[in-house]
Amino acid sequence: MGTTMKKVFVLDTNVLLHDPKAIFSFDDNDVVIPIVVIEELDKFKKDVNEIGRNARQVSRILDEYRQKGKLSQGVPLEGGGSLRVELNHQSPDCLPNELIATKADNRILATALNLKSDNMPVILVTKDTNLRIKADALGLRAEDFESDTIEINELYPGEIEMLVEPGSIEEFYGKGELAPAGDTKLFPNQFVLIKNNANLSQTALTRFSQQRHMLVPITNTKHGVWGINAKNKQQQFALDLLLNDDIRLVTLVGKAGTGKTLLALAAGLEKTIEQRTFQRLVVSRPVFPLGKDIGFLPGDIEEKLKPWMQPIRDNLDFLMGASTPAVTGRAKGKKDLQSLFDLGMIEVEPLTYIRGRSMPNQYLIVDEAQNLTPHEIKTIITRAGEGTKVVLTGDPYQIDNPYIDSSSNGLSFVVERFKEEAISGHITLMKGERSDLAELAATLL
């Protein structure tokens, strides 16, 4: 027989909530959705977040196929496989006694095991690590759904070192540009630390300009930006990207304390308030535990969101204090900050509010962007109107969204997808600058 045997993929709820189009990702194989998954999707469809939207989209897709035939018997998919909602293989008798038969996960397991007993090659697809372990223990093949993952240790760092001939660094400073040495492939706006190969302590910080095909100097931020000075070369690189109007999409990745948010806010204030290049500074972050937890916090929506947005306000307070001379004290900074809010020049909003708006000529910072799915990030970037700059900051190791991980989050996704584009720039900040203690904690704990 030349043909390979069709496989049966049993999908868990979290796969569909992660990506409703997962149904179409299995070529000419059969896709089975256990009935309990439909029941679980039902719990999410009223949510106002991405997950709720995905749940509704799955229902629409299933409804569309329901009209083409009987879902209980299997409806053909375009790729040559079929889609069916499984009722017949529900009996939990195949499960060991330790597994509670009424639990949704275990009902999904039972469906897969019963299908397997019909001599079909069955693969359970789930983003739940524990369920994959349980499946394996029961002799089932289980896989994660990996449609769009980027391994975090392979993430594009945004910088590289390059050895150059003696004399090249003087030439670079003299002419203000230098042709890259060797045949290393450089990405647009990649930072290159050039080192004299005869004297390694002689270096220069450069950025690769794709238009000119040259290494060019980075923005001089010696006098600080809005009272903030770069403390290491990666922070200098970050400020270069943040202050460059030709770079419309900036991604800053780094663990807590590397200065991502502070640098982005300082550059945003500089560009909006000082240079008036943008109409307003909009700072946003995904409000994660909103769906269920918001009910318990007192007050109206503004007050409920305050705790989530507070870290941004703290940073802004700090920056307003940093930009006014110490003599006047912090109170003036606070007053100035409030007046900028009142004038609408600074907005701090949860991301949910940004959807559906088109945002021309704004400096948009999305903090904690690692909690977004690739689809959500796409929504945000496509909202960016004429003249808007989008800055995404985050730490892919610190994810609060249970449906994504360090490799399938929107931030890692954007870094990899955009690294070839001349309008975007990226830098990974390595060095914590909060305090020795904070740095040690981030590394050791």
Side-chain angles (χ1 to χ4, degrees):
M1 255 176 69
T3 56
T4 49
M5 194 173 181
K6 265 196 176 182
K7 299 187 190 74
V8 177
F9 287 93
V10 177
L11 305 194
D12 186 3
T13 321
N14 51 36
V15 171
L16 296 170
L17 290 175
H18 172 77
D19 178 3
K21 294 201 170 73
I23 293 169
F24 309 117
S25 303
F26 298 97
D27 305 327
D28 57 354
N29 296 300
D30 295 338
V31 175
V32 167
I33 298 178
I35 190 88
V36 59
V37 168
I38 309 283
E39 207 178 327
E40 285 210 289
L41 285 169
D42 216 38
K43 295 177 193 157
F44 291 100
K45 67 176 191 222
K46 289 197 173 68
D47 288 7
V48 290
N49 53 16
E50 175 74 8
I51 288 169
R53 238 191 1 271
N54 287 352
R56 295 190 289 278
Q57 196 180 342
V58 176
S59 305
R60 283 197 294 273
I61 293 171
L62 291 175
D63 193 46
E64 198 182 307
Y65 279 89
R66 182 186 61 78
Q67 293 163 26
K68 296 182 183 177
K70 280 201 161 68
L71 278 176
S72 56
Q73 290 163 13
V75 180
L77 286 166
E78 284 71 12
S82 71
L83 168 68
R84 75 174 188 273
V85 174
E86 191 51 62
L87 291 155
N88 311 331
H89 293 73
Q90 286 284 297
S91 84
D93 310 345
C94 61
L95 292 175
N97 298 334
E98 290 79 5
L99 298 179
I100 302 160
T102 50
K103 237 184 119 191
D105 281 2
N106 298 335
R107 287 167 66 191
I108 293 169
L109 265 180
T111 304
L113 281 168
N114 287 323
L115 281 166
K116 187 182 172 216
S117 63
D118 291 357
N119 280 332
M120 291 175 158
V122 173
I123 299 165
L124 174 63
V125 185
T126 174
K127 294 196 77 62
D128 178 342
T129 324
N130 282 352
L131 189 52
R132 292 201 293 270
I133 295 166
K134 280 198 259 184
D136 196 78
L138 296 171
L140 253 182
R141 248 186 89 183
E143 289 180 3
D144 188 1
F145 179 68
E146 307 262 341
S147 64
D148 44 19
T149 61
I150 286 107
E151 273 313 308
I152 184 164
N153 48 5
E154 295 162 10
L155 193 68
Y156 166 60
E159 61 173 325
I160 191 171
E161 289 189 2
M162 186 181 279
L163 292 175
V164 293
E165 294 301 313
S168 297
I169 291 182
E170 286 84 351
E171 182 194 333
F172 169 72
Y173 283 125
K175 289 187 179 168
E177 61 179 27
L178 182 69
D183 48 5
T184 316
K185 178 184 182 332
L186 293 175
F187 292 108
N189 301 318
Q190 185 166 14
F191 292 100
V192 183
L193 173 71
I194 53 177
K195 288 185 167 178
N196 177 346
N197 60 13
N199 169 12
L200 293 179
S201 63
Q202 190 193 16
T203 61
L205 302 180
T206 75
R207 176 169 47 80
F208 177 60
S209 158
Q210 196 189 27
Q211 287 92 335
R212 290 158 59 179
H213 204 81
M214 284 285 186
L215 298 176
V216 298
I218 64 168
T219 319
N220 179 355
T221 52
K222 269 200 185 68
H223 302 300
V225 173
W226 203 267
I228 293 295
N229 289 44
K231 291 191 173 177
N232 57 49
K233 70 173 194 309
Q234 287 155 348
Q235 290 194 353
Q236 282 177 276
F237 292 155
L239 284 173
D240 180 63
L241 295 174
L242 292 165
L243 297 168
N244 185 330
D245 297 341
D246 297 330
I247 300 176
R248 304 317 260 176
L249 175 68
V250 176
T251 45
L252 302 181
V253 168
K255 52 182 198 247
T258 47
K260 315 175 288 291
T261 312
L262 196 63
L263 291 169
L265 288 169
L269 288 167
E270 180 71 28
K271 280 283 173 196
T272 315
I273 314 298
E274 194 60 38
Q275 299 181 14
R276 299 290 167 106
T277 316
F278 299 92
Q279 273 172 355
R280 69 161 68 98
L281 171 63
V282 181
V283 195
S284 194
R285 58 190 316 193
V287 173
F288 228 73
L290 194 87
K292 312 246 178 324
D293 305 6
I294 188 168
F296 305 120
L297 290 163
D300 59 14
I301 188 121
E302 282 302 305
E303 289 167 282
K304 285 179 197 251
L305 291 172
K306 206 168 172 209
W308 305 121
M309 305 322 260
Q310 198 53 47
I312 293 173
R313 282 179 174 262
D314 291 347
N315 271 323
L316 285 168
D317 274 342
F318 172 75
L319 285 167
M320 293 308 282
S323 69
T324 49
V327 197
T328 56
R330 293 264 159 150
K332 180 174 184 302
K334 277 208 165 51
K335 198 170 96 241
D336 289 350
L337 181 62
Q338 195 49 53
S339 65
L340 292 171
F341 275 112
D342 297 343
L343 289 166
M345 289 186 78
I346 302 181
E347 277 182 30
V348 177
E349 296 204 333
L351 262 183
T352 345
Y353 293 178
I354 283 182
R355 244 190 222 108
R357 291 170 46 180
S358 112
M359 309 188 70
N361 214 348
Q362 324 218 338
Y363 199 103
L364 170 63
I365 299 173
V366 180
D367 198 22
E368 304 287 348
Q370 76 278 1
N371 281 320
L372 299 170
T373 63
H375 178 80
E376 281 176 299
I377 286 225
K378 184 179 172 186
T379 311
I380 294 156
I381 296 177
T382 50
R383 282 284 156 269
E386 195 56 45
T388 286
K389 178 165 179 133
V390 181
V391 180
L392 304 170
T393 70
D395 172 3
Y397 283 113
Q398 274 193 319
I399 289 181
D400 305 321
N401 179 341
Y403 292 96
I404 57 184
D405 56 33
S406 64
S407 52
S408 64
N409 69 84
L411 184 60
S412 304
F413 185 71
V414 170
V415 171
E416 282 301 317
R417 285 292 170 92
F418 272 87
K419 67 183 180 193
E420 305 269 359
E421 303 302 321
I423 59 160
S424 83
H426 166 75
I427 189 72
T428 302
L429 297 153
M430 296 299 201
K431 199 165 174 301
E433 295 290 359
R434 274 187 189 161
S435 67
D436 299 346
L437 173 61
E439 168 67 359
L440 273 171
T443 315
L444 298 177
L445 302 178

